[in-house]
Each structure stands twice: as C-alpha cells, then as structure tokens.
Amino acid sequence: MKRLILLFFFSCFLGSNAQELALSNIGEDTLLSDTLMDNNSDESPSEFVKYLDGLNNKKLNKYLGKKGVAEKLVQRGNSYFNKMWYAEAARIFDIVLEKTDTKHTYEILSKAGDSHYYTGNLEKSYKWYNELYTLYEDEINTDTFFKYTQTLKGTGKYRRAAALTKILRQKRNEPLNELESLNTNTWKGATQVTIKNLDINSKYSDFSPMFHNDSDIVYASAKDSSILTTRRYRWTNQPFLDLYVSKKKNDDGDLLPPKKFSKKINTKYHEASSAFSPDQKTIYFTRNNYGKRLKRGKNGINHLKIYRSQNIDGQWTSAEELPFNSEDYSTGHPTVSPDGKKLYFVSDMPGGFGETDIYVVDILENGAFSEPKNLGRAINSDTKEMFPYVTENSLYFSSNRPMGYGGLDVYKSDGSDKTFAGAMNLGEPINSNRDDFSYIVDASTGKGYFASNRKGGKGDDDIYSFAYTPNLNAIIGVVEDLDSGEALPSATVLLLQGNRMINETTVDEMGHYSFPNLNPTTNYMVVAKKEGYLNDSLAIQTADNKNIVVTQKLKAEIKQSAAEAIVKTFEPNNVYFSFDSYEITPSSAQELDKLITVLKSNKGLSLKIESHTDAIGSKAYNKYLSEKRAKSTKDYMVSQGIDPSRIISTSGFGEDRLLNNCGDSQSCPPGQHRLNRRSEFILIAE
C-alpha cells in the first residue's frame, strides 16, 4: 500500500504500501497523493526488466560489457524513477551498481535507496543508503538522512538509528532531551494482547479496515478480483485499490471471503480509507482527484480527496467531494467521532507542523462542515501523522516520528473533541520494526484490527486482528521467619530480570506482596530481605496468564563477636559464569546475596574480588573478559547496597589461574572448563 498511498505524502514511504494510497495515494504511501503516470506509453518497463532478469550471468555480463550500455541503463533508471515506476527503477539501479563499473555517485545511490524504500524493501534500501552515508556523509540531505534512519530501525539496528537521529537533530538545532533514553514512551496497560493474520489477506496490499453495521468490515485492497486485469498502478506494479466488505466469521476476529463494496464507490483508480456515520447511512472515503481523467495540481501531483456518499434504499449514491478538498494538496484518511459530530482526517495542507498532520472539522446539521482545525503539537509532529481513529475517550493514529520501533507506529492519545493529551506508543506486538497503521478498536470488547507490512505476512500489507485480555501474570508471595513461621512485616522484596531490578515493594502486616502485570513465560528473580535476616533469592518463571504463588522464609543472622571470627568461619563460595559471558546468573546471585548479608552484618569487613576464565580463546581476550566479570560482580553487590569503598579491589586474571589441567593443549569436558569461569572472594578484617 505504501506505494499506492505514497503519492499522497510523497516522502512518506515507511513500509506500508497500503498507506501510500491512504494519503498520497490515499495513505502514507498509497492513497494520499498519486502522481499521474503516462499510462499510454509504448514502453513496457516490466517486460524490459523481465528480459534482463531472464538472462544468465554470462549473457547479462556480455550485454553489460557493451560500450554505452551502463550509461543507457542509468538513463532508463532515471526515467523510471521520475515517473515513479519505483519497482522497475530499483531493479535497474541494482544491476548498474552491482554488475557494472559505473561510479557510485550520490545521485545513483540516493535513487537506488529511494526506489527500494518506496517499494518496501528495507534491506536493499539500507544497503544503498548506508553506502551513500559512508561516501557522502557531509552531502546527504535531511530527507534522505531520515529515510536512512528508518531503514536502520526496519532492519533491527536501533542503536545506530538513535545515534544518527541525534546527529540529525543537532544539525536542525532541535532538542535532544527525549533522545537520552533509547526506550520508547510506550503505553502499558494491565492487559496482554494477541494478534492474528487474517485469511482474507492477498499477496497485494490489504489495509485500512473499518467497522460497518454490526458484523461487517470494510477495507482497502489491491487484490486482483477480476478475470483479466489490464490496469496496474506503476508505483507498485499492483492493481489499483478498491474497497471490499467482509462479514465477521466469529468472535475471534476472523472474516469471511470478501466482495467488492459498491460499484458506485469503486472506480478504475484508487479508493481506500473509509469511515461511516453512526447510523451507517453515510460513507466517507479517499479517492484520487479525477473527473474523466486524473487531475494534477500546480506541482504536477494528482492529489487525494475525501468523498462522501449516502445510502438510500440500500444503494449508495454517486460520491461527492467534500468542500475543504483542494487541487493543490491532499486530504484523506477520514474517521468519524462516535457521536457523528466531528470528522477527523489527514492532510499536507500548508500551515501544518509536519509532512502530514491530523485535522478536525465539525459536521453540521445541514451536512456542511466547519473550517478545518489542526489538532496541534500534542498530536502532530515534524514528520507524518496518519490513519486517525477516534473512540469516545481516545484518539489512535500512526506516525513515523523518531524513537519509535520503526516505520509507522500506532499511538494512543487520551481525551475528547479537539483536546488530546500527549501520545503514547502502543508498543509490541501491535508495533514492529516495519509499518503498523490503520488501527481500529471496539472499546467495549478490546478487540479490533490493524494493518502491517511486518515480516511473516502473506502479502505487501496485511490486516491483523487483535484482542486485549486481562493480564493475570503475577507473582504473589509471603515472607516469613524460617524458625517461627511468623510473617515478617516491612520486609523488602525486589523483582529482577537478568541483573536488572524492575520493581521493588514492601510486604504488608501479614507479610504479603505482589508483582502484577508481568510478561508470560518469563524468568524473574525475587529477592526478599529484612534487616537482621539473611536474604532469600528465588528464581521464578511466570506461566501463561496465571498467578504464581510463592513463600519465602528468611533465616535470622547469627551475630559474630568479631570480624576476625567471620573471616575464619565464613568462606564465600565461588560465583560461576556462562561461557563467554560476564552476566550474573540467578544461581550466582544467590551466592552473592549470602556474601552481601555477611558484609552488611559486619561493618568491619572488606572484600577483594578476583575473576577468572577458562583457556578457550586468546589470552588477551580472556584477560579482558575476566576484568568484565570482576566488574559485573562488584556492580551487582553495589546495586544491593554494599558501599563501593568496602570492595578494595577487582582483578581479572584471565586464564592464568586455572583450577585444573584444562589448558590450551588439553581436551576437557564442559564441566571442567566451567570450574575456571569464576569469581573468587577474599574477606579482610580491618
């Protein structure tokens, strides 16, 4: 869809081919703005590319070796690119860059990256953008720089994307405070969500679902539903978008095979992104601007417009365009408020905050509309906001703003009418590192649909169902005295995941505590502690939406008369590490907790930490690894309240102090190597 909707917001690519139609074509990539193609041209770019791809390596190399062929291919690629035939342009540029000696200029690399970007191939787009950035860092423009960061996120390179985003903001003299953390501002509800790819999805773009009547879903698709398809959209080489309707199959969100929505609504060009009045008698949707033929604005772009049709006696009337449309900018992605009094939509009209913004108009009693009003900075950013959907108390929309998961992400803003709070990212699994958009939800059931071009789908953009259910994953526990069995009120309980503390609580008078809303089937560590008692650490794995009930019994400390006695009677056990790792494991944490208790009970004791490795790998690397193990051991103890000044030294000896004969020339079983991957401790009485 991206390709289809991209025309609406020309620079909007991010992943959803369906989106293009949505606002350019009509969406981010698909519908919103569609540039007029020369459909009467005798040239067949698809056939030419198929011809090249049909040559074996020997014949292709012979062809490319002819004088002037590479230059002509570049010219042809430029021609395809200028006509927005991006699928064919991408293949031509690949051949030139990968199989000829043509110089990798800024223009060719940029167009190659853009061509793949607009057609959804983020891996190949990243390849050319990355080379472009490497060779022409000082020349790369802001728009290409931004698209490069999107391909980084789309291919899982989040830290690199964050670093480049910071550079981009510095060049623009924009604030960097929100970039101090890589964590996305993510909405956290006391629920968990399951998603499912639907059977109705085709190999093309399917997106922009909308509730209709009580049991129907209307959506946009580029699927080929006719016996012979002669018209195709050059941007994606897919059929043009039409609206389809499908009935709900069951309460799990499955849909029955669809049919075309209405011959009065669907045309030979793009239709997408529909919305209905509360009585279901009026439909608003996005369509290319055309009369008998496509119309262009002053900038040569065929923009998108919002149209309206009435249902009279079961039949939809011929559509009329809304009065706030324009020949010189796009409007699209309409959605109607639950009371039917407001229409929200997306536009790239002048005066906005970013590339596309969300606007609202009042729907007046006589069917007219108020002047459009921008929703403001609380919702709109410097990038793209698209696909709004409004419930009674919330606004949902998609945006490719920085620090998301990648591509378009779905956001939620609480509020009503024209006043909405700052937006929160819905997080995974709704969002992915690709485009996620056109989210709709039934607020009464927590069920709904959205579209995504994430990996693992059936086509270009696919529609997914989702359902929110209460999150019952929790650890519920009680802390007691080991000897008496009595509750230990005011004991502290820590919740750790790996070596990171994620929550802390104090038990009540009955010794009870709980950690709610946890992830399912996830490993946690629960540490209970109270002054005068030894810590108790318990490794726990949550179940699938169930409570885990535990009891922790703490043993009272035995007071020693002197620090020297402790040194003589207490010999800490070694702490062991996994292969090529310096992470503190749950079992290691249990041993360290014992040592921590002794140190806290005896203020006259200090400690030396000595860490070691096995003999696998180079000596230089093992020395480095052992030093990291010593540091992580100290860091854990400090995180549990040990004064850093009491840890006199941390030393890493690499493989120099093996406990057995498992040296470089010896073959040893894994268990013997493990004995050498350790931290040792020396207690010192002051």
Side-chain angles (χ1 to χ4, degrees):
M1 158 181 177
K2 170 165 286 171
R3 310 157 211 180
L4 296 177
I5 293 185
L6 238 182
L7 286 183
F8 172 71
F9 296 133
F10 178 75
S11 58
C12 180
F13 157 77
L14 287 177
S16 282
N17 294 320
Q19 302 153 194
E20 306 164 319
L21 183 58
L23 249 205
S24 145
N25 271 323
I26 286 205
E28 173 181 38
D29 302 328
T30 307
L31 259 183
L32 272 182
S33 109
D34 195 17
T35 295
L36 183 60
M37 304 296 177
D38 182 9
N39 291 316
N40 296 321
S41 173
D42 293 333
E43 182 184 39
S44 176
S46 297
E47 292 301 319
F48 178 70
V49 170
K50 286 180 181 179
Y51 167 76
L52 292 180
D53 288 340
L55 299 176
N56 59 37
N57 284 335
K58 183 177 180 180
K59 290 183 178 180
L60 180 59
N61 290 333
K62 182 178 179 181
Y63 170 72
L64 296 175
K66 294 181 179 180
K67 185 177 180 179
V69 167
E71 290 79 3
K72 290 181 179 179
L73 283 177
V74 171
Q75 293 175 6
R76 186 181 288 261
N78 289 336
S79 175
Y80 292 171
F81 186 89
N82 293 335
K83 294 177 180 178
M84 296 185 181
W85 297 349
Y86 293 119
E88 288 83 2
R91 185 67 187 117
I92 295 296
F93 288 130
D94 283 350
I95 291 174
V96 170
L97 291 169
E98 294 174 346
K99 296 183 177 296
T100 74
D101 295 329
T102 300
K103 182 180 178 181
H104 290 200
T105 64
Y106 182 100
E107 181 183 11
I108 295 177
L109 288 171
S110 177
K111 288 182 176 179
D114 286 350
S115 296
H116 284 294
Y117 185 77
Y118 294 141
T119 54
N121 189 340
L122 294 190
E123 288 79 9
K124 209 57 180 289
S125 180
Y126 161 74
K127 175 181 179 179
W128 300 129
Y129 284 151
N130 189 57
E131 183 176 344
L132 179 70
Y133 183 76
T134 301
L135 296 177
Y136 304 99
E137 178 180 351
D138 295 334
E139 301 174 42
I140 193 168
N141 63 51
T142 300
D143 179 60
T144 302
F145 198 56
F146 176 76
K147 287 182 285 187
Y148 175 35
T149 64
Q150 296 301 308
T151 65
L152 285 166
K153 287 190 283 188
T155 54
K157 303 171 181 66
Y158 288 102
R159 288 192 173 274
R160 177 69 170 160
L164 291 185
T165 299
K166 184 175 182 179
I167 293 173
L168 177 63
R169 293 241 168 160
Q170 287 173 328
K171 288 183 176 181
R172 292 176 169 180
N173 293 319
E174 294 176 345
L176 301 177
N177 56 308
E178 68 268 40
L179 302 180
E180 293 177 358
S181 170
L182 290 178
N183 295 326
T184 300
N185 191 23
T186 304
W187 178 72
K188 294 289 186 182
T191 56
Q192 61 181 10
V193 59
T194 56
I195 67 172
K196 180 168 56 176
N197 190 294
L198 300 182
D199 291 338
I200 63 167
N201 289 312
S202 67
K203 66 179 180 179
Y204 299 117
S205 288
D206 304 283
F207 67 101
S208 220
M210 182 55 63
F211 299 116
H212 179 44
N213 295 325
D214 294 327
S215 60
D216 294 349
I217 295 294
V218 175
Y219 69 99
S221 177
K223 65 186 294 181
D224 182 2
S225 60
S226 61
I227 299 176
L228 295 175
T229 298
T230 57
R231 294 184 54 79
R232 287 189 172 245
Y233 180 50
R234 286 294 192 190
W235 184 303
T236 57
N237 202 26
Q238 293 186 18
F240 281 81
L241 293 169
D242 277 333
L243 293 178
Y244 288 78
V245 59
S246 179
K247 290 191 175 294
K248 294 181 183 178
K249 183 177 181 180
N250 50 42
D251 290 337
D252 294 331
D254 296 312
L255 300 175
L256 294 170
K259 61 180 181 180
K260 285 199 172 183
F261 180 69
S262 168
K263 292 182 179 179
K264 287 283 189 179
I265 303 297
N266 291 322
T267 66
K268 60 184 179 180
Y269 295 114
H270 289 310
E271 283 80 31
S273 298
S274 62
F276 295 89
S277 60
D279 63 5
Q280 305 297 301
K281 297 296 185 181
T282 303
I283 182 176
Y284 302 89
F285 63 94
T286 314
R287 174 189 284 172
N288 293 103
N289 176 24
Y290 82 98
K292 293 183 178 180
R293 56 184 297 179
L294 289 173
K295 299 178 181 179
R296 301 195 212 191
K298 294 178 181 178
N299 54 4
I301 298 294
N302 169 241
H303 293 287
L304 296 178
K305 291 184 175 182
I306 299 175
Y307 289 77
R308 174 173 60 183
S309 175
Q310 307 291 333
N311 191 303
I312 300 176
D313 297 330
Q315 299 294 321
W316 293 102
T317 62
S318 296
E320 59 176 354
E321 67 170 275
L322 300 190
F324 50 82
N325 291 330
S326 173
E327 301 295 320
D328 297 317
Y329 55 80
S330 289
T331 55
H333 300 179
T335 189
V336 180
S337 61
D339 61 8
K341 295 181 179 180
K342 295 184 183 298
L343 178 74
Y344 296 82
F345 65 96
V346 176
S347 179
D348 59 350
M349 68 175 64
F353 295 101
E355 297 174 62
T356 57
D357 283 5
I358 299 176
Y359 292 80
V360 62
V361 293
D362 294 324
I363 303 175
L364 306 179
E365 291 184 2
N366 61 358
F369 301 89
S370 66
E371 290 296 317
K373 294 183 180 180
N374 190 297
L375 289 191
R377 272 292 188 186
I379 299 300
N380 294 312
S381 69
D382 294 336
T383 56
K384 295 179 178 67
E385 278 66 49
M386 309 182 75
F387 298 98
Y389 179 74
V390 180
T391 63
E392 189 170 335
N393 298 307
S394 298
L395 167 69
Y396 299 88
F397 63 93
S398 288
S399 175
N400 66 340
R401 61 188 59 184
M403 307 315 294
Y405 287 85
L408 290 173
D409 279 1
V410 180
Y411 289 81
K412 175 187 179 183
S413 175
D414 292 327
S416 60
D417 296 334
K418 298 187 289 291
T419 304
F420 293 97
M424 302 289 286
N425 190 299
L426 286 192
E428 296 176 319
I430 295 297
N431 291 318
S432 67
N433 65 348
R434 297 302 178 96
D435 287 320
D436 308 287
F437 57 100
S438 62
Y439 175 102
I440 62 172
V441 61
D442 183 337
S444 64
T445 64
K447 298 179 180 180
Y449 302 87
F450 70 100
S452 177
N453 66 345
R454 65 187 61 192
K455 291 185 177 180
K458 296 174 182 170
D460 198 344
D461 300 302
D462 281 0
I463 297 175
Y464 292 78
S465 67
F466 67 85
Y468 286 101
T469 57
N471 183 359
L472 302 180
N473 291 304
I475 296 174
I476 299 174
V478 61
V479 181
E480 300 175 348
D481 184 290
L482 176 63
D483 297 321
S484 67
E486 304 234 345
L488 290 178
S490 301
T492 299
V493 186
L494 309 178
L495 181 68
L496 293 86
Q497 190 172 8
N499 59 0
R500 180 173 62 93
M501 188 180 78
I502 59 176
N503 206 345
E504 179 178 357
T505 189
T506 302
V507 304
D508 62 20
E509 292 183 357
M510 302 300 295
H512 294 159
Y513 69 90
S514 67
F515 292 114
N517 303 327
L518 302 179
N519 296 324
T521 60
T522 300
N523 292 319
Y524 294 96
M525 173 72 70
V526 177
V527 180
K529 57 184 182 179
K530 184 177 174 65
E531 187 172 352
Y533 289 82
L534 298 176
N535 292 356
D536 179 71
S537 300
L538 186 62
I540 299 173
Q541 184 183 60
T542 52
D544 186 8
N545 219 29
K546 295 180 180 179
N547 292 335
I548 303 297
V549 180
V550 298
T551 299
Q552 291 175 280
K553 297 181 179 292
L554 304 188
K555 182 176 178 60
E557 295 175 352
I558 300 175
K559 298 297 182 181
Q560 300 293 329
S561 58
E564 289 82 358
I566 292 294
V567 173
K568 293 178 181 178
T569 59
F570 182 81
E571 183 177 348
N573 293 327
N574 293 342
V575 166
Y576 294 99
F577 296 87
S578 300
F579 175 71
D580 196 23
S581 172
Y582 52 86
E583 181 179 344
I584 302 299
T585 64
S587 60
S588 297
Q590 290 179 340
E591 293 300 322
L592 288 174
D593 288 343
K594 298 175 185 177
L595 179 56
I596 289 167
T597 299
V598 172
L599 289 172
K600 287 184 176 181
S601 301
N602 299 273
K603 304 301 183 182
L605 291 182
S606 297
L607 183 70
K608 291 183 178 181
I609 300 173
E610 297 180 349
S611 297
H612 311 270
T613 70
D614 55 34
I616 301 173
S618 69
K619 285 192 174 184
Y621 177 76
N622 285 336
K623 181 69 163 57
Y624 162 81
L625 180 59
S626 66
E627 291 171 351
K628 296 290 286 185
R629 286 173 174 172
K631 184 178 183 302
S632 68
T633 303
K634 176 182 178 179
D635 289 345
Y636 178 84
M637 299 183 72
V638 171
S639 73
Q640 299 303 304
I642 298 301
D643 188 335
S645 65
R646 298 180 64 190
I647 301 177
I648 298 174
S649 64
T650 57
S651 304
F653 294 92
E655 59 186 80
D656 293 343
R657 297 184 180 182
L658 301 178
L659 296 178
N660 46 39
N661 294 321
C662 296
D664 291 333
S665 60
Q666 299 296 321
S667 176
C668 289
Q672 293 298 308
H673 282 301
R674 177 182 176 274
L675 293 176
N676 294 314
R677 300 192 290 265
R678 69 200 189 277
S679 281
E680 298 176 334
F681 308 94
I682 302 173
L683 283 170
I684 299 173
E686 298 178 356

